[in-house]
Amino acid sequence: MFEACCQYVTSTTALIVLFLTMLIFTYPRRPNGIPNGPMLVPVFGNLFSLASKDPMDAFAKLRAKYGDVYGIFFGQELTVVLSGYEVIHEALVKRGHVFSGRPRSEFHRMMFKDPGIVFANGPLWKEHRQFAQQALNVFGYEWSEQTMEDRINDEIGHFLKKIRSYDGTIDIGPLVNLSVANVVAGILFGHRCEYDDPKFVACLHSVGEAARLFTRSSLLMSCFPWLKSAPGDILGIRQIKKIREKPKEFLTHVFAMHATTFDEKETRDVLGLYLQEIQNNSDSGRQCEFNETTMRALMGELLSAGSETTATCIIWIILYLTLNQDLQKKIQADIDDVIGQDRRPSLQDRILLPMVEATILEGLRISSVAPLSVPHAVHEDVEFRGVVIPKETTVLINLHSVMKDHKLWPDPDVFKPERFLDTDGTVRSPKEFIPFSLGRRSCLGESLARMELFLYISSLLQTFTLVFPDNEPVPTTEGVLGMTYSPKPFKVKAVPR
C-alpha cells in the first residue's frame, strides 16, 4: 500500500514537473526590442488587459504603466499604441511617410477587398485622397451656385421643422445622424433624402452595426485564426457582408436616380465629378485607380465617415448643454444679442459668438468621438523612440490620451468651455488640440465639420431651449465605444423659444 502511494506521488510529481517544463518553454514571450507591454496569456495575448467597462480607461492604465509607446497583442498579432501629443506628432507629422499606412492583415484584406479611401494604401489612396479634397473644394467651399453654408442651413431648416413636429420628448440622436448625413449626401449626390426613406435609414444604421461586428470578428480571428476555415459563420463574416448589402442597395438606388439627370458637361456633385474622371481617363487611355467599383466604395465611405463623427459630436454637445442650463442660457443671450430671431445664424457670426465656439471646441475635446482614430500601420520595420515596430504592425493613435491629458487640460472630465477663451474673451486653441488627428491621414472633412457644428448648435439654441423630461433619471456622460465614442441614448424636450 505504501509503495503504491509512493509510486502514485512520484508519477504525479513527474507529470507536474513535465507540465511546468512544457509551460515554461511554450508560454508566449514578448519578442526582444519591441515596445514593452503586459505579460502575454496563451491564445488571447493581452486581450484581458483591455477588459473594462470603459476601454479607454484600460488604455489609460496601460499608458501609466508602460509609457507613451507600448505594445499589446491581440492573439498573436502585435498592435502598438502611441499616446501623448509629442509622440503622436513625431509619428504622424515628422515621420508621416512611415506611419501613414493602413493595416494589411489577412482579416483587413478579407473585409476591404475594394477599399475607397479610408483603408486604402499606395497609389489608390493617394489618387482618391487628392480627388476627394478637390471635390470638396469644388462642390462645397468654392461652388458658386450654392455655398457650403447655404447647403448646411437648408438642411438645418428641415431638421428644426422635424423637431417642431414632435409632441413631447425626443431621442434626438437618430435625427441628428440623419440630418448631418443629408448634408454630405447633398454634396455627394446632389440631393437630400427624406428622414423616413427606408433605404437611407437602413444604410446609416448598418454602418454602426457592421462596425460592432467588425471589432468582434477581428478579435476572434486574431486569437483563433483557424476559425476562418471552420464550418458555419463563427467569425460573423457572412453576417457582416449581409449587413453591407444595405448601403449597396441605397447607393444603387442613388446612382440610378443620378443617371437620369447626369450631364457630363455640367457636373453638379461629387458623384458626377467621379464619373467624369472615369470617362476622361478612359478617353485618354491613362492607367489609374478610378472605376465603378472604387466609386461605390468611395461614396459609401465619404457618406459614413463624413457624417458619423460630426453627428456624434453634436449629440455630445446637446447632452452637455442640457446638463448645463446656465451655460445654455448664456449662449442663448449671446445669440439674441448678436443675431436675434429674424435671421438664421451665419458663419460670419462665429467671431461675434466666442462662447458658442468655445463650447464646440470643448465638446470636441471632452467627447473625443474618434478616441483611437482609424488604425494606422507600418509597412516596414521602424525604429521609434528606442524600440522596433515590426513590419505590418497595426498602430493605434490614442487621441483620447491627448484630449484628456490632465497636464494640458485641468479637470479633463469636466465640461469647461472657458478653457478655450483668453482673458479678453477671444477664442484660443492650443496646438495640442487635435480632435481631427494630424498628418497625411488627418480628417479631410475638418472644415466642413467645423461649419456644421457651429451652424447646428447656434441654430438649435436660437430656436429651442433643451431640457430633460420630468420624472426621468438624468442621463450619464459615460460613453460607448463603437465606430465612434458616443453617448448612451437619451431623450430631451425641445421647448420653442
Side-chain angles (χ1 to χ4, degrees):
M1 180 71 176
F2 178 75
E3 290 182 358
C5 288
C6 288
Q7 289 177 356
Y8 175 78
V9 171
T10 302
S11 300
T12 303
T13 302
L15 287 173
I16 292 174
V17 171
L18 179 61
F19 173 76
L20 291 175
T21 302
M22 291 178 63
L23 187 63
I24 291 171
F25 283 99
T26 60
Y27 200 89
R29 290 176 175 79
R30 186 172 292 271
N32 293 330
I34 69 168
N36 197 14
M39 184 176 70
L40 301 177
V41 174
V43 179
F44 297 99
N46 299 130
L47 190 58
F48 299 129
S49 298
L50 296 176
S52 173
K53 185 178 180 181
D54 185 347
M56 298 318 301
D57 287 341
F59 280 106
K61 291 175 181 177
L62 288 171
R63 180 195 182 192
K65 186 172 184 178
Y66 299 107
D68 288 342
V69 183
Y70 62 87
I72 50 179
F73 280 83
F74 296 104
Q76 297 180 352
E77 295 184 6
L78 172 65
T79 293
V80 171
V81 183
L82 304 184
S83 304
Y85 175 78
E86 295 300 332
V87 167
I88 292 173
H89 183 271
E90 180 179 344
L92 300 187
V93 178
K94 295 181 180 179
R95 302 189 64 183
H97 61 290
V98 293
F99 281 97
S100 61
R102 291 296 192 216
R104 299 188 296 197
S105 68
E106 183 177 4
F107 181 78
H108 280 85
R109 292 197 301 272
M110 289 170 57
M111 289 291 96
F112 300 102
K113 292 180 180 179
D114 303 310
I117 185 172
V118 177
F119 280 97
N121 287 292
L124 175 61
W125 167 67
K126 291 180 180 178
E127 287 195 8
H128 281 77
R129 169 91 182 192
Q130 184 179 29
F131 168 83
Q133 191 65 71
Q134 290 175 345
L136 278 176
N137 290 337
V138 172
F139 296 111
Y141 312 132
E142 298 174 359
W143 200 27
S144 58
E145 289 187 27
Q146 186 182 28
T147 66
M148 184 72 83
E149 180 176 350
D150 293 333
R151 286 176 172 272
I152 299 169
N153 271 328
D154 180 65
E155 176 57 38
I156 288 175
H158 294 279
F159 174 67
L160 298 176
K161 181 179 179 181
K162 186 67 175 179
I163 293 176
R164 289 192 191 95
S165 71
Y166 285 91
D167 183 17
T169 63
I170 172 177
D171 179 1
I172 203 166
L175 181 58
V176 172
N177 280 318
L178 289 167
S179 184
V180 174
N182 252 331
V183 174
V184 181
I187 298 168
L188 295 179
F189 314 126
H191 68 87
R192 68 182 300 277
C193 302
E194 296 299 327
Y195 293 142
D196 57 357
D197 182 331
K199 289 185 173 63
F200 184 49
V201 174
C203 172
L204 296 182
H205 177 74
S206 68
V207 172
E209 192 178 358
R212 286 188 291 272
L213 285 173
F214 181 92
T215 301
R216 170 189 172 275
S217 301
S218 176
L219 291 175
L220 275 175
M221 189 164 172
S222 296
C223 296
F224 310 103
W226 48 269
L227 284 177
K228 66 179 182 292
S229 303
D233 190 31
I234 300 175
L235 284 178
I237 302 298
R238 287 202 292 271
Q239 188 178 0
I240 293 175
K241 290 181 178 178
K242 183 178 179 180
I243 292 171
R244 284 180 165 181
E245 289 301 314
K246 295 175 183 177
K248 288 181 181 179
E249 290 175 7
F250 171 70
L251 290 174
T252 298
H253 172 69
V254 168
F255 291 172
M257 289 180 58
H258 189 274
T260 62
T261 58
F262 174 61
D263 182 356
E264 62 181 30
K265 296 179 181 179
E266 187 180 355
T267 309
R268 65 183 188 279
D269 46 47
V270 176
L271 177 57
L273 194 65
Y274 197 100
L275 290 168
Q276 196 176 69
E277 192 74 22
I278 292 175
Q279 186 61 48
N280 290 341
N281 286 305
S282 176
D283 293 343
S284 65
R286 174 176 172 264
Q287 293 294 322
C288 71
E289 303 288 349
F290 289 83
N291 55 65
E292 292 189 4
T293 300
T294 53
M295 177 182 74
R296 181 180 293 272
L298 178 65
M299 296 302 148
E301 287 182 357
L302 289 177
L303 179 62
S304 59
S307 58
E308 179 75 16
T309 51
T310 303
T312 303
C313 189
I314 291 173
I315 298 166
W316 273 113
I317 294 173
I318 290 173
L319 174 60
Y320 278 105
L321 283 170
T322 312
L323 288 168
N324 293 270
Q325 289 293 313
D326 289 342
L327 173 62
Q328 189 176 165
K329 290 176 182 176
K330 176 174 175 50
I331 291 176
Q332 288 174 326
D334 290 345
I335 291 173
D336 291 345
D337 289 342
V338 173
I339 303 172
Q341 293 290 326
D342 296 331
R343 67 175 177 87
R344 190 73 61 78
S346 164
L347 293 175
Q348 293 181 346
D349 298 319
R350 280 194 289 191
I351 194 172
L352 302 174
L353 294 170
M355 184 54 76
V356 176
E357 276 289 278
T359 298
I360 290 168
L361 296 178
E362 178 69 345
L364 284 164
R365 184 201 67 80
I366 200 169
S367 65
S368 192
V369 296
L372 299 172
S373 188
V374 179
H376 288 236
V378 293
H379 296 161
E380 60 187 65
D381 292 344
V382 176
E383 291 187 16
F384 184 72
R385 296 215 162 200
V387 296
V388 175
I389 303 177
K391 178 181 178 181
E392 303 303 336
T393 296
T394 297
V395 178
L396 296 181
I397 308 300
N398 190 354
L399 299 178
H400 184 273
S401 69
V402 181
M403 308 308 278
K404 291 293 187 76
D405 190 334
H406 65 90
K407 296 178 181 177
L408 299 172
W409 322 98
D411 300 319
D413 293 318
V414 179
F415 191 77
K416 297 169 60 176
E418 59 269 21
R419 71 173 86 240
F420 287 96
L421 295 175
D422 280 331
T423 54
D424 62 355
T426 57
V427 178
R428 66 174 184 86
S429 178
K431 70 179 188 302
E432 293 87 359
F433 181 69
I434 53 171
F436 299 97
S437 194
L438 294 169
R440 304 181 182 192
R441 293 277 189 170
S442 62
C443 176
L444 61 83
E446 177 178 351
S447 295
L448 171 60
R450 288 179 180 271
M451 292 180 192
E452 290 175 303
L453 286 166
F454 177 80
L455 292 173
Y456 268 88
I457 296 302
S458 58
S459 296
L460 192 60
L461 294 187
Q462 180 192 42
T463 311
F464 301 103
T465 295
L466 304 171
V467 297
F468 293 123
D470 298 329
N471 303 320
E472 287 194 19
V474 176
T476 177
T477 55
E478 293 178 355
V480 178
L481 185 59
M483 181 177 177
T484 57
Y485 190 70
S486 57
K488 295 178 180 179
F490 64 93
K491 294 182 179 181
V492 298
K493 289 175 63 177
V495 181
R497 297 186 65 215

